[in-house]
Amino acid sequence: MSSAAFLGAVAFAASAGLTTFFAPCAFPLLPGYVGFYLQQDGRPPAVVSGLTAATGAVLALGGIAALVFAVGQRLTSVLPLFEPVIGALLVVFGLLVLTGRASPTVPLPKRPESLLGFGVFGAVYALAAAGCVVPLFLGVVAQASSFAPTQGLVVLGTYAATVAVPLLGVTLLSDAGVDAWRSLGGYSGRLKQAAGVLLVVAGLGQIYLSVVVLNVL
């Protein structure tokens, strides 16, 4: 395949990765991650913590891609059917967040100085984000599979990197603005309510997109 097609696939993977990072299924989890990072002064260095979260995201996305390659076309043809289901779940979860019966956070170890929590968060964030944009993720995987193995890995690596690198950026920003983040502690309730509204809107949008635009059902 031509180099232009390869560069186009890499560019598509990069834009898809950024879109995935900001996917509304996962984005409301970030305030909880920032709070986890700021819990104690004995946390690991920001670069180490951020790289651990990024590594968790890369490993999770790599695992999903490997699964898709392993099961082949049968799974990829069925996965889009889950889009309206995911949308409905987002609406329900958003309503639970708004009523205080759920929280848009990931259960993490109580000791922020442990790197385990950062890796877990990165993996969970990547899984939640990819699940919100299944057709986009499958598009990246399909393009990667059309190239030679080395080029395919570059395409997948680009996608994973553009999901993971912003996690590193969030960690570094959290470390740089410790006092500012802590001053927002009193607004945590409003942040959770905003996350709940975002989840409901995202769920309704995903249902509309999958049923009306993409005609999944």
Side-chain angles (χ1 to χ4, degrees):
M1 202 170 286
S2 68
S3 59
F6 172 66
L7 292 176
V10 171
F12 172 74
S15 61
L18 287 176
T19 302
T20 301
F21 176 79
F22 290 104
C25 300
F27 200 65
L29 299 176
L30 285 179
Y33 173 66
V34 173
F36 170 75
Y37 180 78
L38 300 178
Q39 278 180 23
Q40 293 184 14
D41 294 329
R43 56 187 176 272
V47 173
V48 176
S49 303
L51 287 176
T52 303
T55 300
V58 170
L59 292 177
L61 292 173
I64 301 175
L67 178 63
V68 172
F69 278 125
V71 298
Q73 185 64 32
R74 284 180 296 180
L75 178 63
T76 58
S77 62
V78 173
L79 280 178
L81 297 177
F82 288 93
E83 285 288 299
V85 177
I86 294 173
L89 291 176
L90 283 176
V91 172
V92 172
F93 185 59
L95 292 175
L96 291 176
V97 171
L98 285 173
T99 57
R101 298 179 182 179
S103 177
T105 57
V106 179
L108 296 171
K110 294 183 179 180
R111 296 181 53 184
E113 57 268 25
S114 168
L115 289 175
L116 174 63
F118 296 97
V120 169
F121 177 84
V124 172
Y125 190 92
L127 291 174
C132 191
V133 289
V134 170
L136 194 62
F137 176 73
L138 292 179
V140 174
V141 174
Q143 286 200 357
S145 64
S146 66
F147 293 97
T150 302
Q151 291 179 314
L153 287 176
V154 171
V155 173
L156 291 176
T158 301
Y159 174 78
T162 50
V163 176
V165 169
L167 283 176
L168 173 60
V170 168
T171 308
L172 295 176
L173 287 174
S174 300
D175 186 70
V178 169
D179 294 334
W181 281 111
R182 284 176 175 166
S183 67
L184 292 175
Y187 295 94
S188 60
R190 293 184 180 180
L191 289 174
K192 289 183 179 180
Q193 289 180 337
V197 172
L198 179 61
L199 287 167
V200 172
V201 172
L204 293 175
Q206 189 154 349
I207 292 173
Y208 176 83
L209 180 66
S210 59
V211 175
V212 178
V213 179
L214 299 178
N215 196 26
V216 170
L217 297 180

